[in-house]
Amino acid sequence: MLKDAHNRIINYVRLAVTDRCNLRCTYCMPENMQFLQRREILTYEEIIAVMQPLAAAGVSKVRITGGEPFLRKDLMQLLSKLSAIFPEISITTNGVLTGPFIPQLKALGIRNINLSLDTLQRDKFKQITHRDQFPAVMHTLDNLLEHDMNVKLNMVVMGGVNTDELLDFAALTATKPITVRFIEEMPFNGQGHAFSGQQWHYQRILDTLSGEYELQKLKDAPHSTSLNYHIPGHKGKIGVIAAYSRTFCGSCNRIRITPTGGFKTCLYGHDVLNVRDLIRSGASSDQLMQEIQYTLNTRAADGFEAEKGSKHWDSMSMIGG
Ligand code: SAM
Ligand code: SF4
């Protein structure tokens, strides 16, 4: 079993399979984002070479992210291999290309999909993402629900951009069995745009929602990053994620692997190891796991400690969210 320096069990990996994206969300990357070369990215064989020993060490949950994961060629092949190794696989996607893959995902037992959507207005979608793909994303949402998938809709809350839509998003839960999650904006935008700071702290989001709705607190799962609520009579749920306030670090059970094999023990910290380089230099599974355990032995207590002295705001597409 993998444990960190603070005795936290590590059983969850977020795996970013590409840095590429078909959108340019302003809060995530600049329009002229420089993408990685193919050879810099972990191959599927290399991904399996690190994921297999992680599974053997007790990791049971994997989230596939990116960049936009469905841009990676033959993603279904990788998912098929991973689903034979891990009991729980979920995916975070912008939904533009996702629709046609839903039956295959279901057949692999992958039912948990986080769909990123920051506005319910087509014009504003284009402003935020620099691409006119709103209809495709809404179509994917409908499609996911028709296939009984577990959908979490992630909305990054940006002051002056989409805060007028908080109640509209909450209203979606009246008729749709989805969890709408409001996420504090973080500074990981590749420095393409100014970070609006903590104008929209999670408490302000909750206060705005409570002004209109009765929010009943739900019991949060042990490692949940969201504070979860239910509006009486609604089919879905509400979550608020204090991603910048970092209220949930104490129970963090996750590690991250970036597209280049960077190993992160905290979203706010640097890569502490590179598994691609280790694998390419011939390291065995045991050596790989030994190195991973060393990094966990010095893991920061929380995101504030991790960012100390080394604030660096890569694009989230390089980290995986
Ligand atoms: N492309 C996929 C998508 O957008 O769902 C997966 C990768 S994306 C980097 C993962 C998540 O990170 C998305 O929900 C996105 O909204 C979120 N994200 C990206 N940049 C962010 C930022 N600066 N602050 C908060 N969340 C961010
Ligand atoms: Fe692409 Fe996701 Fe980043 Fe938007 S948040 S630019 S969809 S990687």
Side-chain angles (χ1 to χ4, degrees), residues 68-86:
E68 174 46 39
F70 288 92
L71 280 181
R72 180 90 191 241
K73 198 166 165 254
D74 300 327
L75 180 70
M76 297 318 273
Q77 276 180 22
L78 176 69
L79 293 180
S80 166
K81 286 191 180 130
L82 290 176
S83 64
I85 306 175
F86 294 96

Side-chain angles (χ1 to χ4, degrees), residues 259-304:
T260 53
F263 188 84
K264 279 186 183 296
T265 53
C266 178
L267 173 61
Y268 283 86
H270 280 297
D271 294 1
V272 286
L273 186 71
N274 190 287
V275 295
R276 176 201 63 197
D277 294 348
L278 280 172
I279 294 168
R280 290 185 189 175
S281 68
S284 66
S285 298
D286 285 351
Q287 286 166 331
L288 212 50
M289 291 310 296
Q290 212 168 45
E291 293 292 332
I292 285 174
Q293 185 57 62
Y294 286 151
T295 67
L296 290 172
N297 293 346
T298 57
R299 189 184 191 210
D302 57 36
F304 297 102

Side-chain angles (χ1 to χ4, degrees), residues 20-25 27-29 66-68 94 116 317:
R20 288 176 188 261
C21 196
N22 44 1
L23 300 182
R24 293 290 183 279
C25 305
Y27 55 79
C28 178
M29 63 170 76
E68 174 46 39
N94 63 30
S116 303
S317 63

Side-chain angles (χ1 to χ4, degrees), residues 201-219:
H201 186 267
Y202 73 97
Q203 194 55 55
R204 186 172 175 194
I205 299 171
L206 281 171
D207 290 346
T208 304
L209 298 173
S210 312
E212 177 71 16
Y213 292 110
E214 180 192 341
L215 295 183
Q216 288 179 344
K217 185 77 188 73
L218 296 170
K219 194 170 182 320

Side-chain angles (χ1 to χ4, degrees), residues 55-280:
V59 170
S60 56
K61 181 175 169 187
V62 181
R63 175 167 296 281
I64 305 297
T65 174
E68 174 46 39
F70 288 92
L71 280 181
R72 180 90 191 241
K73 198 166 165 254
D74 300 327
L75 180 70
M76 297 318 273
Q77 276 180 22
L78 176 69
L79 293 180
S80 166
K81 286 191 180 130
L82 290 176
S83 64
I85 306 175
F86 294 96
E88 194 183 340
I89 299 183
S90 47
I91 304 180
T92 301
T93 173
N94 63 30
V96 174
L97 300 171
T98 318
F101 296 101
I102 295 171
Q104 290 176 68
L105 294 174
K106 208 173 163 181
L108 287 175
I110 300 174
R111 303 185 73 115
N112 298 330
I113 306 292
N114 287 7
L115 188 64
S116 303
L117 181 66
D118 308 305
T119 175
L120 299 172
Q121 301 167 18
R122 184 170 179 168
D123 285 357
K124 204 190 282 182
F125 183 96
K126 198 171 163 192
Q127 270 171 37
I128 294 173
T129 68
H130 295 173
R131 303 289 186 271
D132 189 18
Q133 293 286 4
F134 180 73
V137 180
M138 291 310 282
H139 186 64
T140 293
L141 174 59
D142 291 341
N143 215 336
L144 286 167
L145 294 178
E146 275 161 28
H147 282 85
D148 275 333
M149 304 289 264
N150 304 322
V151 179
K152 290 181 181 161
L153 206 65
N154 286 344
M155 181 223 209
V156 177
V157 178
M158 292 167 281
V161 177
N162 58 2
T163 39
D164 57 333
E165 293 189 68
L166 294 183
L167 298 178
D168 297 341
F169 270 84
L172 286 179
T173 65
T175 53
K176 294 186 194 298
I178 58 176
T179 302
V180 171
R181 305 198 309 170
F182 300 97
I183 306 179
E184 283 181 356
E185 186 182 353
M186 294 177 272
F188 302 104
N189 57 36
Q191 316 218 337
H193 111 132
F195 170 53
S196 64
Q198 272 220 297
Q199 272 183 58
W200 279 84
H201 186 267
Y202 73 97
Q203 194 55 55
R204 186 172 175 194
I205 299 171
L206 281 171
D207 290 346
T208 304
L209 298 173
S210 312
E212 177 71 16
Y213 292 110
E214 180 192 341
L215 295 183
Q216 288 179 344
K217 185 77 188 73
L218 296 170
K219 194 170 182 320
D220 300 323
H223 304 286
S224 176
T225 52
S226 53
L227 298 162
N228 298 295
Y229 301 85
H230 178 240
I231 299 171
H234 282 209
K235 284 190 175 165
K237 295 179 201 155
I238 303 276
V240 179
I241 303 185
Y244 192 58
S245 305
R246 285 160 266 182
T247 54
F248 44 72
C249 295
S251 63
C252 184
N253 62 340
R254 61 190 61 191
I255 48 181
R256 292 176 165 79
I257 298 178
T258 72
T260 53
F263 188 84
K264 279 186 183 296
T265 53
C266 178
L267 173 61
Y268 283 86
H270 280 297
D271 294 1
V272 286
L273 186 71
N274 190 287
V275 295
R276 176 201 63 197
D277 294 348
L278 280 172
I279 294 168
R280 290 185 189 175

Side-chain angles (χ1 to χ4, degrees), residues 1-4 8-11 56-59 289 293 296:
M1 185 184 291
L2 285 174
K3 277 192 184 175
D4 73 5
R8 292 173 292 205
I9 291 173
I10 304 299
N11 56 11
V59 170
M289 291 310 296
Q293 185 57 62
L296 290 172

